[in-house]
Amino acid sequence: MQTITPDYYESFKCISDKCKHSCCIGWEIDIDDATLEKYTGQKSGFADILKSNIVYDETPHFKLDKAERCPFLNKQGLCDIIINLGEDMLCQICNDHPRFRNFYGEYEEVGLGMTCEAAAEIILSSQEKTTLNLPKDALELPLVSFREKLFSVLQDRTISVD
């Protein structure tokens, strides 16, 4: 699998407690099977709290509180799972967000979603033209070739947005 990324991708870092619109509020947080297995294997006081805050439905997920906050988002805006168990114990969605992946044959496109204020800041504040880090031969894929042309037009500051 060959990966396509925007040039700003590696500069993303979660701003956690400085975030005004936390991704840990208002979203159902699904737990992937591999992480659920890690959680059920934990033995500690915190592990008991962790397990008691999981809804074991068809798609396991964390129980949100009345304000739709993840039960592990503490008052300081930090994740108690990371604090108590380490970042490698996050479920896939928590580890990935706001990163996304699209697959096109042998190519994987990786990017940042604008639902995250830190990602939006990176994407919208750049004064430089965005480029894609493309593997050799990626421009042969019609979607990638079209996107390159689209980026070129959209980033031409001599053309009005209208």
Side-chain angles (χ1 to χ4, degrees):
M1 182 82 39
Q2 298 184 67
T3 304
I4 300 168
T5 59
D7 56 2
Y8 55 77
Y9 181 76
E10 294 298 326
S11 63
F12 173 76
K13 180 161 178 31
C14 176
I15 58 173
S16 60
D17 60 328
K18 294 166 195 66
C19 186
K20 295 179 190 109
H21 306 284
S22 176
C23 57
C24 304
I25 302 171
W27 300 84
E28 181 175 290
I29 303 166
D30 294 341
I31 305 167
D32 56 286
D33 293 339
T35 306
L36 184 61
E37 192 173 312
K38 289 195 295 189
Y39 290 168
T40 56
Q42 289 292 305
K43 307 266 189 255
S44 70
F46 182 76
D48 293 340
I49 296 168
L50 176 65
K51 292 177 219 177
S52 72
N53 279 286
I54 295 174
V55 176
Y56 294 89
D57 279 347
E58 183 177 329
T59 302
H61 57 275
F62 293 124
K63 294 177 189 175
L64 301 182
D65 68 14
K66 290 178 185 171
E68 294 191 331
R69 293 172 59 94
C70 173
F72 302 105
L73 179 63
N74 66 30
K75 289 184 180 4
Q76 292 76 36
L78 299 172
C79 177
D80 285 334
I81 294 174
I82 294 173
I83 292 168
N84 289 281
L85 300 175
E87 198 166 343
D88 62 326
M89 291 298 286
L90 289 176
C91 56
Q92 183 179 0
I93 190 65
C94 293
N95 191 53
D96 284 354
H97 186 77
R99 298 165 194 89
F100 66 84
R101 290 173 174 71
N102 294 314
F103 298 92
Y104 311 107
E106 65 185 65
Y107 298 96
E108 172 189 37
E109 173 192 46
V110 182
L112 299 173
M114 296 275 285
T115 60
C116 168
E117 67 188 79
E121 175 71 22
I122 291 168
I123 295 166
L124 297 175
S125 68
S126 175
Q127 297 300 309
E128 302 299 319
K129 290 183 177 183
T130 297
T131 59
L132 295 176
N133 300 316
L134 298 171
K136 194 176 179 180
D137 302 328
L139 285 173
E140 292 177 18
L141 190 64
L143 179 64
V144 175
S145 176
F146 176 74
R147 185 172 293 152
E148 278 291 285
K149 290 175 188 168
L150 186 62
F151 270 39
S152 178
V153 170
L154 290 173
Q155 294 184 103
D156 183 344
R157 290 179 168 92
T158 64
I159 302 172
S160 167
V161 172
D162 293 333

